[in-house]
Amino acid sequence: MEDNRKQIINMRGIVKRFYIGTPNELTVLKGIDLDVYEGEFVAVVGASGSGKSTLMNIIGSLDRPTEGEYILDGIDITKAKDAELSGIRNRKIGFVFQTYNLIAKTNAIKNIEVPMLYAGTGIKERNRRAMELLKLVGMEDRVHHLPEELSGGQKQRVAIARAMANDPAIILADEPTGALDSSTGRMVMDIFHKLHEERGKTIILITHSPELAEECGRIVTIKDGEIIGVREGRGGVAV
């Protein structure tokens, strides 16, 4: 049956090597083929050292593959110049990291405004949208709090709001609940489900947790730099 959904990620033969040409040359990704469609919630699951973080860096245009082809929302990433990649990261991808990566001496609303500042959004629109996103993640009462004044879960909610700042095509979440207790992690996952179901966001969740992966529509399992399985999760396939 033909799939008429828009393909937002198309990877073919992605290889990533480090220390090229040296005696300790290391091949981390060994020919990855991956398609992700608009509106999907996909989990990439694997043990530490499986290559999932390296794959995430390539999906997010933080690194380039050694070999292979990568088309992101119609753009050939392997041929893009560094300045173009910077713009792509800012506009098309929202990043959520395990360690939050908030600016320490900057309050919640200003942290959320940073991607919009780089995108050239005016101050009034930055402020309006940042407030809207703080409400979306239930943090409207922490507008002027610094990261050090927030709990881990609150920091991660601010980080999710920041990832949404430029209304990206993809949210890329790397172990977003890894530093949180189970109840706080549950709250963070609920926000991702809300963004997926109510806003139609394409979300790629990098995780070592089979339980979290099961909540997603599709589960991609990676081992020793190769995809060894793709199956549906409980979330079903997005339409």
Side-chain angles (χ1 to χ4, degrees), residues 12-63:
R12 289 293 176 270
I14 296 294
V15 172
K16 182 62 182 180
R17 296 190 187 96
F18 294 95
Y19 318 116
I20 295 169
T22 66
N24 57 337
E25 180 172 306
L26 180 66
T27 303
V28 177
L29 299 179
K30 303 168 183 175
I32 296 286
D33 294 340
L34 179 65
D35 295 325
V36 176
Y37 293 90
E38 193 172 54
E40 274 200 289
F41 195 158
V42 178
V44 177
V45 66
S48 294
S50 61
K52 64 184 187 299
S53 291
T54 301
L55 178 60
M56 187 215 76
N57 287 340
I58 291 174
I59 291 173
S61 303
L62 296 168
D63 200 0

Side-chain angles (χ1 to χ4, degrees), residues 7-228:
Q7 200 174 77
I8 203 162
I9 285 174
N10 176 256
M11 289 183 151
R12 289 293 176 270
I14 296 294
V15 172
K16 182 62 182 180
R17 296 190 187 96
F18 294 95
Y19 318 116
I20 295 169
T22 66
N24 57 337
E25 180 172 306
L26 180 66
T27 303
V28 177
L29 299 179
K30 303 168 183 175
I32 296 286
D33 294 340
L34 179 65
D35 295 325
V36 176
Y37 293 90
E38 193 172 54
E40 274 200 289
F41 195 158
V42 178
V44 177
V45 66
S48 294
S50 61
K52 64 184 187 299
S53 291
T54 301
L55 178 60
M56 187 215 76
N57 287 340
I58 291 174
I59 291 173
S61 303
L62 296 168
D63 200 0
R64 294 177 185 267
T66 309
E67 295 174 19
E69 182 181 70
Y70 175 24
I71 307 296
L72 170 64
D73 203 17
I75 298 168
D76 189 339
I77 296 298
T78 52
K79 294 178 181 173
K81 293 182 170 58
D82 287 346
E84 190 180 355
L85 287 181
S86 179
I88 288 164
R89 285 193 298 271
N90 182 252
R91 295 188 315 273
K92 290 189 176 291
I93 303 168
F95 294 94
V96 182
F97 299 98
Q98 179 176 340
T99 51
Y100 323 123
N101 288 16
L102 298 177
I103 301 169
K105 299 301 180 186
T106 303
N107 66 26
I109 193 165
K110 294 297 183 186
N111 262 286
I112 295 166
E113 287 183 15
V114 168
M116 293 184 274
L117 184 66
Y118 285 117
T121 306
I123 187 167
K124 284 187 178 179
E125 176 59 17
R126 289 202 309 267
N127 191 261
R128 183 202 67 77
R129 181 151 175 79
M131 276 302 304
E132 176 190 291
L133 290 168
L134 278 167
K135 288 176 184 173
L136 178 71
V137 298
M139 289 290 291
E140 62 268 37
D141 59 342
R142 296 286 191 274
V143 173
H144 300 298
H145 284 60
L146 297 173
E148 66 187 23
E149 299 170 318
L150 301 174
S151 69
Q154 289 169 336
K155 289 176 190 173
Q156 196 60 294
R157 283 190 274 166
V158 172
I160 292 169
R162 180 187 58 189
M164 287 284 290
N166 289 329
D167 195 24
I170 297 166
I171 294 176
L172 195 52
D174 185 17
E175 301 281 6
T177 65
L180 306 174
D181 62 62
S182 57
S183 62
T184 310
R186 175 72 269 150
M187 187 189 309
V188 166
M189 281 301 292
D190 287 344
I191 293 171
F192 284 123
H193 285 296
K194 183 178 180 180
L195 294 176
H196 175 241
E197 291 160 14
E198 296 180 10
R199 304 222 168 184
K201 284 295 164 192
T202 306
I203 301 175
I204 300 174
L205 174 74
I206 312 292
T207 183
H208 67 273
S209 166
E211 293 80 16
L212 292 184
E214 283 294 340
E215 295 184 22
C216 302
R218 195 155 55 102
I219 303 166
V220 177
T221 302
I222 185 168
K223 182 180 179 182
D224 297 330
E226 297 179 291
I227 291 175
I228 62 167

